[in-house]
Amino acid sequence: MNQAVVSDVMRKPSSHSEFELIHRFFASPNLSFPREGIELGIGDDAALVDVPSNKHLAMSMDVLISDIHFPAEADPSLIANRALAVNLSDLAAMGAEPYCFTLGLVLPQNDEAWLADFSGGLEHLAKKYNCPLVGGDTSRGPLSISIQVQGLVDRDRAARRSGAKEGDRIYVSGTLGDGAIALLALGLDSHLGSEFSLTVNEPNAACLQFFEDAYFKPQPQIEFASNAAKLFSSCIDISDGLQGDLQHILDESEVAGNIRLGDIPYSKSAMCCVNPENRLLAALFGGDDYELCFTVAEKDCVELESIADQLGIRVTCVGGITAGEGIEYLDADGSPVGLNPQAFQHFSAQA
């Protein structure tokens, strides 16, 4: 028997004009579109969602505050794309298929042009992943965005942080460090300190576009995870830097791991614009990459790499799981390297 799941829907704002804005920009067919299993979306006191009996409902939520998690003056469509993408990345880390999402939006004022661009920025990813908006809430105040995503995953297939075993290999998808380097390229503040800088006065147009996309349009690895998660012994998305996020896997799995520093993958733009020391700093401690870090049993690595190749997804083995605790960093000849762990912590003092 299907289960009924109830979530908040767009509550009536304080004025008729606000209600009309919400109805126009968020209850539109382009964003609140029909999907099998969504029995009732925006328009009532709660949304009604059917969950198949053989599935778990995976849920994740991020709160994004203006001028902390995104520049308040940025293009609203880019802000929206980033806000939804970082949440979908959490579903990818669980091997879940996006199902629907809700939105909490706090605005300093009604701005029809801003709302039109913002809702338009949500539409692309919502349609791409067949993930309609089913409800939420609005209020007045400093600009902030709260998105909760819901996904479906087979009951015996959810990828978790707690399954890594000694002998597993550690992989990452894509390239690392681009999210942190993007802050420099876009002229924004970084938590990595004053020594973290570009090697060029101004990135060329191609690099600048690459870093803008890396920051505002991260690509959640939904398709790859849906095909390959059956082989993951553990998984996490890289939001706080490889060091911090891998450590979560190690802690939950009660194992240790090593990272071969020379195998960490970088983009051409990162190699063009940042020196080796700062590339490493960005990859390990920068965050905002929204790639996947996952572990795979050695016997499954050939199949894993074949799936990635078929999908055109870059995956790189950067280390392995060992007995003990903590992370050991290795140089090219396998010798240990001493590093100062400083993964980004929310609410910590900014550098």
Side-chain angles (χ1 to χ4, degrees):
M1 179 179 295
N2 288 343
Q3 303 173 19
V5 177
V6 181
S7 62
D8 289 337
V9 297
M10 291 287 182
R11 300 175 184 172
K12 291 184 179 181
S14 57
S15 70
H16 181 71
S17 61
E18 283 187 88
F19 177 84
E20 292 299 327
L21 289 175
I22 296 304
H23 182 77
R24 187 192 319 170
F25 296 117
F26 297 108
S28 69
N30 290 329
L31 194 53
S32 181
F33 48 84
R35 173 177 176 160
E36 183 178 359
I38 308 299
E39 297 299 316
L40 181 65
I42 296 174
D44 214 309
D45 289 314
L48 300 176
V49 180
D50 279 341
V51 181
S53 60
N54 64 333
K55 302 282 187 180
H56 281 306
L57 184 69
M59 297 184 290
S60 181
M61 184 177 73
D62 279 333
V63 177
L64 305 180
I65 309 297
S66 64
D67 290 328
I68 296 177
H69 300 104
F70 62 88
E73 300 305 315
D75 183 332
S77 67
L78 295 179
I79 295 173
N81 191 101
R82 174 176 168 80
L84 183 52
V86 301
N87 280 275
L88 291 172
S89 183
D90 286 328
L91 293 184
M94 300 296 293
E97 170 198 357
Y99 196 42
C100 59
F101 75 101
T102 55
L103 169 68
L105 185 60
V106 180
L107 293 169
Q109 60 186 7
N110 289 337
D111 184 332
E112 291 195 32
W114 194 96
L115 284 167
D117 288 343
F118 181 83
S119 62
L122 293 174
E123 290 173 8
H124 170 70
L125 286 182
K127 289 182 176 178
K128 180 177 180 179
Y129 295 111
N130 193 24
C131 186
L133 176 67
V134 296
D137 195 12
T138 60
S139 188
R140 187 181 299 275
L143 178 61
S144 67
I145 303 158
S146 301
I147 288 181
Q148 183 183 70
V149 288
Q150 291 84 35
L152 298 178
V153 61
D154 290 347
R155 286 183 173 267
D156 60 348
R157 287 288 181 87
R160 305 188 183 194
R161 301 177 181 182
S162 57
K165 295 177 175 59
E166 185 178 353
D168 288 355
R169 295 182 181 178
I170 300 169
Y171 282 83
V172 296
S173 66
T175 57
L176 302 186
D178 297 321
I181 297 169
L183 294 175
L184 300 178
L186 298 174
L188 304 174
D189 292 333
S190 169
H191 65 278
L192 293 177
S194 59
E195 297 301 313
F196 182 59
S197 61
L198 301 176
T199 56
V200 294
N201 290 330
E202 185 174 337
N204 61 42
C207 287
L208 189 60
Q209 185 63 59
F210 174 85
F211 288 125
E212 181 176 293
D213 289 344
Y215 185 78
F216 286 111
K217 298 180 180 179
Q219 300 297 310
Q221 295 290 352
I222 297 292
E223 184 179 12
F224 171 63
S226 67
N227 284 274
K230 61 185 179 181
L231 304 176
F232 298 169
S233 55
S234 66
C235 187
I236 192 171
D237 83 321
I238 304 175
S239 57
D240 293 336
L242 178 59
Q243 189 273 344
D245 290 314
L246 174 59
Q247 188 64 59
H248 290 315
I249 286 179
L250 303 183
D251 289 343
E252 292 297 320
S253 301
E254 299 183 341
V255 292
N258 59 60
I259 295 176
R260 299 185 300 272
L261 298 180
D263 290 339
I264 294 175
Y266 300 108
S267 66
K268 291 181 179 179
S269 293
M271 297 181 72
C272 172
C273 298
V274 179
N275 67 32
E277 292 78 12
N278 278 332
R279 286 200 300 269
L280 180 61
L281 186 67
L284 292 180
F285 310 121
D288 281 337
D289 285 321
Y290 302 103
E291 295 290 349
L292 298 181
C293 174
F294 52 97
T295 58
V296 180
E298 187 172 359
K299 66 181 179 62
D300 294 325
C301 290
V302 171
E303 183 179 357
L304 180 283
E305 292 177 10
S306 177
I307 291 172
D309 185 63
Q310 291 172 21
L311 294 173
I313 301 298
R314 179 177 180 177
V315 297
T316 306
C317 180
V318 296
I321 298 296
T322 59
E325 59 183 27
I327 300 174
E328 181 179 42
Y329 299 99
L330 306 175
D331 65 13
D333 66 4
S335 300
V337 177
L339 289 177
N340 178 29
Q342 50 177 305
F344 175 57
Q345 298 292 325
H346 296 288
F347 304 113
S348 66
Q350 300 295 300

